[in-house]
Amino acid sequence: SMRKKILVRGPALTQSGYGEQTRFALRALKCYENIFDIYLHPLKWGQTGWIYEDTEERRWLDSIIKKSVEHEHIGGTYDVSLQVTIPNEWEKIAPINIGYTAGIETTRISTQWIEKSMLMDKIIVVSNHAKYGFSKTSYQATNNRTGETINDFRCKTPVDVVNYAVRDVSAKKVDLDLEYDFNYLVVAQWSPRKNIENTIGWFLQEFEKEEVGLVLKTNKANNSIMDKVWTRRDLDAL
């Protein structure tokens, strides 16, 4: 049987959440190379740095990027696309298109995302929370072409949840020299959507009189020394 040519579009070479998500998808597809012939378009991701280690996986990623360039150079097309990114970037680029996204931090998706969802044959999200946004959001809208009112404008594309697999890990003792026995951990990029400023402000307000710590793992965009300086500066200012 002919293998299906699948194009994965995502920031596969970046040190970002979507970079990890893209590599997660690629590793899964690689287990089914008897079914899929895999190609890759690596996207940039804001100011995020790129992975630089010379590993077997990195060499494989480079080889399928090169293969894609050569395939398109001779006018080659694809059977399926898997687009690992925010929905505003989804496009119809193959007969079958799958959008794979982390979704949104809040409980509603935008009208633009609903429009983009119509271009996809299937949507895969990483959590039930993300699925909730796609399944439950409904707007009253107007069809710009006909002027008619749509009372229940919503995503009608089927949405599947695929959680991240967690390795069976054993506890390790990490001495962070913490002041308190009980601590909250926040892992988030310092960006508007994550709202670090209010997270810290509300934490201080809530636990003003209690012996509770907050451990913050954050950065602005990449792993540079400058990034560390800017992050520290904003934290001190806060």
Side-chain angles (χ1 to χ4, degrees):
S1 67
M2 289 286 291
R3 292 192 303 162
K4 293 233 177 296
K5 287 185 165 45
I6 185 166
L7 173 67
V8 176
R9 212 169 139 259
L13 300 178
T14 71
Q15 291 181 343
S16 64
Y18 270 112
E20 196 46 59
Q21 195 171 323
T22 309
R23 291 186 288 277
F24 182 69
L26 284 160
R27 286 172 202 138
L29 285 169
K30 201 174 193 296
C31 299
Y32 296 94
E33 284 191 296
N34 56 326
I35 304 171
F36 295 111
D37 183 13
I38 309 164
Y39 295 82
L40 175 62
H41 276 183
L43 302 177
K44 288 214 293 278
W45 201 251
Q47 301 300 309
T48 314
W50 285 42
I51 55 174
Y52 56 87
E53 291 93 347
D54 180 24
T55 60
E56 196 182 329
E57 180 170 87
R58 176 61 200 258
R59 287 193 288 273
W60 176 64
L61 294 175
D62 285 343
S63 75
I64 57 176
I65 291 167
K66 183 167 178 273
K67 184 172 84 165
S68 311
V69 173
E70 289 163 358
H71 178 64
E72 285 160 40
H73 187 64
I74 57 164
T77 58
Y78 303 103
D79 302 306
V80 185
S81 82
L82 178 66
Q83 305 179 35
V84 195
T85 180
I86 46 177
N88 3 332
E89 300 195 347
W90 289 346
E91 292 164 27
K92 243 188 182 2
I93 51 184
I96 297 171
N97 300 284
I98 300 158
Y100 180 26
T101 187
I104 191 79
E105 286 81 354
T106 183
T107 52
R108 293 176 81 78
I109 61 170
S110 67
T111 50
Q112 187 202 14
W113 281 24
I114 296 175
E115 284 170 23
K116 286 292 195 174
S117 76
M118 293 171 176
L119 303 177
M120 298 295 110
D121 298 283
K122 164 82 92 179
I123 295 168
I124 302 172
V125 292
V126 301
S127 67
N128 289 311
H129 172 79
K131 180 176 179 170
Y132 181 91
F134 279 92
S135 322
K136 299 285 188 230
T137 304
S138 168
Y139 293 101
Q140 189 178 52
T142 307
N143 183 325
N144 290 337
R145 210 162 29 87
T146 63
E148 67 172 326
T149 300
I150 307 159
N151 282 320
D152 187 21
F153 183 59
R154 60 165 62 237
C155 166
K156 295 195 172 76
T157 308
V159 182
D160 271 1
V161 178
V162 178
N163 301 121
Y164 278 103
V166 177
R167 289 196 188 92
D168 197 6
V169 290
S170 48
K172 270 206 188 86
K173 192 157 174 54
V174 180
D175 191 12
L176 295 176
D177 193 23
L178 301 173
E179 224 169 302
Y180 302 118
D181 292 336
F182 189 93
N183 300 276
Y184 284 99
L185 172 65
V186 171
V187 181
Q189 186 186 358
W190 196 306
S191 66
R193 287 187 309 139
K194 308 296 179 182
N195 208 346
I196 297 290
E197 292 87 349
N198 278 339
T199 302
I200 295 170
W202 289 331
F203 169 82
L204 293 171
Q205 204 177 318
E206 181 67 27
F207 297 107
E208 198 178 356
K209 298 182 169 58
E210 293 172 63
E211 300 211 330
V212 175
L214 181 70
V215 178
L216 185 62
K217 180 196 179 296
T218 188
N219 70 335
K220 293 281 183 179
N222 54 44
N223 296 351
S224 66
I225 306 274
M226 286 308 292
D227 192 291
K228 190 174 186 174
V229 171
W230 292 330
T231 307
R232 178 62 54 82
R233 183 197 61 195
D234 284 4
L235 195 55
D236 290 344
L238 203 61

